[in-house]
């Protein structure tokens, strides 16, 4: 049972100091890695005398001299420790190291739940080694199982948090923001996520109410820190989805980690309705170096090169949809092809200096370059009919539509971002930690778009006017944008104890200015965490703040008509940042049942939205209105049950309920595009009883459908929801050999630590999920929605070796 905490112990200790003849016992508590541990309860056995460690792991208490004193150390997530002082006659120091309360299950470390006194939640990246993931092993695949996070496309690493758009999530790696390509239209085009899980040491995630040091985004913050290994380590893995290699080393003052990844989704894409030659090839190389120049100076470098090639030659498609009473069949014969290329380069440098034991200052700079090319000429002849009961390809009860079409695009985009900033961290006496930073960022983007689509239905070009030959849609752009952003932040983390318990307050302000729209935004943010003395199993959190979505290039684009009635893109220099006011309240309750650790987390939130730039979503392509013409709100509740559902493993079940509404131009009311209403996610681990080498991992999702619109139309023209997203992926992992096995003594295996074999079944139930629609227009200009189904059932085999 946990000791009574904080000020109760401190007050008794302080009162005791006023009495003569007492001695002081103090010391530091650290974990197995040598890092200081705070929130450790230190108690003199069979008394009410005690204390709690601060951020430096330090504690101090006073006791009466005696023959034997026993100190008890306890902290959630760590094994209890005990120290016996045979004869306490004078002041002394007692230092303690506490080990993680964990059970090693192969590569899975099951650890008791940690305290979360801020809005940032810790994620264990090691789980990705055994996670069944059709996207190829992305950190984001684990993030989407957390409460408040949703994704309706297993091919994409993009995610929505509490109803926000994909663009509202900010991602940091080693303290600097990273970017993704801008022209991506579909999950099939997406390559690998920027984050390399093999190189990742720590992951923190906030679904809202995050700190001022994180930039101007409205929904979430994902903070990644890469490894600095202490010794040589390496791994190699391969599967039907691709391969990866990782190596890390340390030579005292210098450490490096490097990773190479290759992904191909050819076999997975073959399970879709379209019969085609898919040739997606995605390659990514990253390296992270750290060099300690002296005891006070350190320099870090992160480099990334990514090349994504996507080639698509369609042959035919057949999709059966509708209801039992009204089954319909859509068939297409294709010609032509699509070829896309996305190349990104990223380099980041950090120079930091320690100013004593409690202060640090650093200079950061990064550069990002993206070259994106999208080219396709695809023709097709399609017909839609009422499907016959026997589903024969040759039997049709009634032809509903017969037409041909031609889709053409030649799109090019060049983007460059250069960033420089200064930051500082100082820890003051009294448990204050001050963090500040100032940044400047230069952006240059060139965009050339040329795309059109023509359709011919029963001999008539669409739209049919009786006099003109028209295309059904076109879009042209030739824009250049060069601008600069300035930003600064300051925040304080303050921990203190009172008679009621332990408080953690994080307060800060952030300001930004963008030269293009000449806008200055000011963002105050505040969060409060509280652990009550009366019951330390409870943790409560409150957070609020003003969050802005500063426009990037995509948000600025507005479709207009030229003199020839062609659709062109103009940039709206008057567009302002979208704004969201967060109100969040929640907490955790930790408990033990049947000798196992569990945690129940609940958060309620309300987001007041104004100055909204409405958008629609087609697959993963976000199209903005390009003007601040809406306001709205998002409210909901997130719940997560985490713990050892099977002894020796960590699993969790997340449930999110949400309601959203936006009012566009003061007239149209509609839900936000990523508002699914409900989301139930499960991550479950198990192993064969008595044989922990064989493990099972299951990831399941049940979520409501997305509200979608007709392409190139807004919510003013109506919307409907896709069917619910339902999916189960399951993986079996077997440890073929480890360091203790006799085979590892053979020359070939001598340098191996572990060898793993895994089999995954993606989409176990074979459910055909709808991600978007192909809209057919007949000669009467009526629209028919044909569902674009996502991937079907697929088996994946993987092998990995740790060196």
């Amino acid at each position: 049972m946990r000791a009574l905490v904080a000020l109760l112990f401190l007050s008794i200790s302080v009162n005791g100091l006023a009495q003569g003849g007492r001695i002081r016992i103090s010391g530091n508590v650290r974990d197995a890695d040598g890092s200081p541990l705070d929130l450790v309860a230190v108690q003199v056995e069979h008394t009410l005398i005690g204390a709690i460690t601060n951020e430096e792991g330090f504690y101090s208490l006073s006791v009466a001299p005696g023959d034997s004193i026993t100190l008890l150390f306890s902290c959630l997530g760590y094994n209890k420790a005990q120290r016996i002082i045979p004869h306490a006659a004078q002041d002394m120091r007692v230092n303690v190291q506490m080990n993680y309360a964990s059970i090693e299950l192969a590569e899975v470390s099951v650890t008791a739940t940690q305290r979360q006194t801020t809005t940032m939640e810790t994620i264990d990246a090691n789980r990705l080694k055994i996670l069944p993931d059709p996207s190829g092993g992305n950190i984001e695949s684990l993030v989407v199982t957390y409460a408040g996070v949703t994704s309706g496309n297993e091919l994409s690493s993009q995610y929505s948090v509490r109803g926000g758009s994909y663009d509202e999530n900010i991602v940091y790696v080693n303290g600097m923001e990273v970017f993704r390509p801008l022209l991506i239209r579909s999950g099939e085009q997406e390559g690998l996520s920027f984050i390399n899980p093999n190189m990742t040491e720590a992951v923190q995630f906030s679904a809202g109410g995050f700190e001022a040091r994180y930039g101007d985004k409205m929904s979430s913050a994902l903070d990644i820190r890469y490894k600095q290994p202490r010794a040589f380590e390496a791994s190699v893995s391969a599967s039907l989805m691709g391969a990866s290699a990782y190596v890390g080393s340390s030579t005292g003052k210098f450490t490096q980690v490097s990773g190479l990844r290759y992904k191909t989704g050819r076999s997975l894409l073959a399970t879709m309705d379209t019969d085609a030659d898919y040739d997606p090839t995605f390659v990514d190389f990253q390296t992270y170096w750290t060099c300690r120049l002296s005891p006070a100076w350190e320099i870090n470098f992160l480099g990334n090169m990514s090349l994504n090639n996507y080639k698509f030659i369609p042959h035919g498609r057949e999709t059966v949809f509708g209801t039992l009473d009204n089954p319909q069949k859509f068939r297409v014969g294709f010609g032509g092809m699509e070829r896309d290329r996305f190349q990104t380069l990223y380099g980041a440098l950090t120079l930091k200096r320690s100013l004593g034991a409690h202060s640090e200052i650093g200079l950061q700079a990064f550069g990002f370059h993206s070259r994106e090319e999208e080219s396709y000429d695809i023709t097709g002849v399609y017909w839609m009919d009422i499907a016959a009961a026997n589903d024969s390809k040759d039997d049709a009860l009634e032809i509903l539509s017969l037409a041909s079409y031609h889709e053409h695009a030649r799109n090019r985009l060049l983007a460059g971002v250069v960033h420089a900033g200064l930051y500082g961290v100082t820890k003051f006496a009294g448990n204050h930690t001050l963090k500040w930073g100032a940044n400047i960022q230069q952006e240059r983007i060139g965009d050339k778009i040329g795309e059109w689509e023509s359709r011919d239905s029963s001999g008539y070009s669409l739209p049919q006017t009786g006099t003109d030959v028209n295309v059904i849609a076109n879009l042209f752009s030739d824009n250049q944008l060069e601008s600069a952003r300035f930003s600064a932040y300051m925040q304080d983390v303050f921990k203190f104890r009172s008679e009621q318990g332990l408080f953690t307050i994080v307060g800060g302000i952030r300001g930004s200015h963008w030269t293009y729209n000449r806008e200055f935004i000011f963002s105050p943010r505040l969060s409060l965490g509280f652990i009550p003395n009366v019951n330390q199993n409870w943790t409560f959190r409150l957070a609020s703040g003003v969050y802005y979505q500063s426009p990037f290039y995509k948000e600025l684009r507005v479709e207009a008509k030229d003199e020839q009635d062609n659709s062109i893109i103009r940039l709206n220099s008057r567009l302002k940042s979208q704004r969201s006011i967060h109100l969040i309240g929640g907490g955790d309750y930790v408990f033990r049942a049947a000798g196992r650790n569990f945690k129940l987390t609940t958060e309620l939130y309300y987001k007041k939205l104004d100055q909204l730039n409405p958008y629609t979503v087609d697959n993963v392509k976000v199209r903005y209105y390009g003007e601040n013409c809406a306001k709205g709100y998002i409210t909901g509740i997130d719940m997560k049950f985490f713990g050892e559902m099977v002894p020796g493993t960590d699993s969790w079940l997340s449930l999110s309920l949400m309601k959203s509404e936006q009012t566009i131009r003061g007239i149209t009311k509609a839900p936000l595009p990523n508002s699914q209403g409900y989301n139930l996610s499960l991550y479950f681990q198990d192993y064969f009883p008595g044989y922990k080498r064989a493990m099972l991992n299951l990831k399941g999702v049940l979520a409501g459908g997305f509200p979608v619109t007709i392409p190139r139309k807004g919510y003013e023209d109506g919307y409907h929801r896709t069917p619910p997203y339902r999916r189960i992926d399951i993986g079996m992992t077997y440890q073929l050999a480890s360091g203790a096995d006799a085979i590892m003594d053979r020359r070939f295996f001598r340098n191996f630590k572990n060898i793993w074999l895994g089999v995954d079944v993606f989409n176990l139930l074979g459910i055909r999920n709808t991600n978007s629609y192909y809209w057919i227009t007949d000669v009467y200009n009526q629209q028919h929605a044909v569902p674009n189904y996502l991937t079907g059932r697929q088996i994946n085999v993987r092998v990995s070796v740790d060196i």
Side-chain angles (χ1 to χ4, degrees), residues 212-227:
R213 62 192 175 103
Y214 298 111
D216 297 309
K217 298 287 187 179
M218 289 204 305
S219 288
S220 74
L222 181 62
D223 194 350
I224 307 294
R225 189 177 74 247
Y226 278 175
K227 297 176 181 177

Side-chain angles (χ1 to χ4, degrees), residues 158 179-185 189-190 306-309 339-345 368-375 409-417 444-449 552-554 557 621:
Q158 301 190 56
F179 300 85
R180 65 169 68 243
L182 300 176
L183 285 182
I184 295 290
R185 291 182 296 107
Q189 295 173 308
E190 274 200 39
S306 176
L307 181 60
N308 301 340
N309 287 315
R339 187 189 297 272
D340 307 323
R341 181 182 178 90
F342 305 91
Q343 179 179 332
T344 61
L345 300 172
F368 168 77
H369 176 78
S370 180
R371 184 182 183 91
E372 306 174 26
E373 300 174 1
E374 183 182 47
S375 303
R410 294 293 185 272
N411 300 331
R412 304 288 185 270
L413 186 140
L414 287 174
V417 178
R444 181 178 296 175
I445 298 174
D447 181 24
K448 289 188 177 183
I449 292 178
F552 202 63
Y553 180 74
K554 284 198 300 185
R557 301 193 297 186
K621 187 178 183 66

Side-chain angles (χ1 to χ4, degrees), residues 68-107:
S68 179
I69 294 177
T70 300
L71 297 180
L72 303 177
F73 299 81
S74 61
C75 181
L76 192 65
Y78 295 85
N79 293 319
K80 292 182 178 180
Q82 176 180 292
R83 294 294 184 269
I84 299 175
I85 304 173
H87 183 64
Q90 59 184 359
D91 293 351
M92 64 180 63
R93 290 185 64 87
V94 179
N95 297 326
V96 174
Q97 184 182 71
M98 300 185 70
N99 295 317
Y100 299 105
S102 62
I103 301 172
E104 292 295 331
L105 175 59
E107 284 294 308

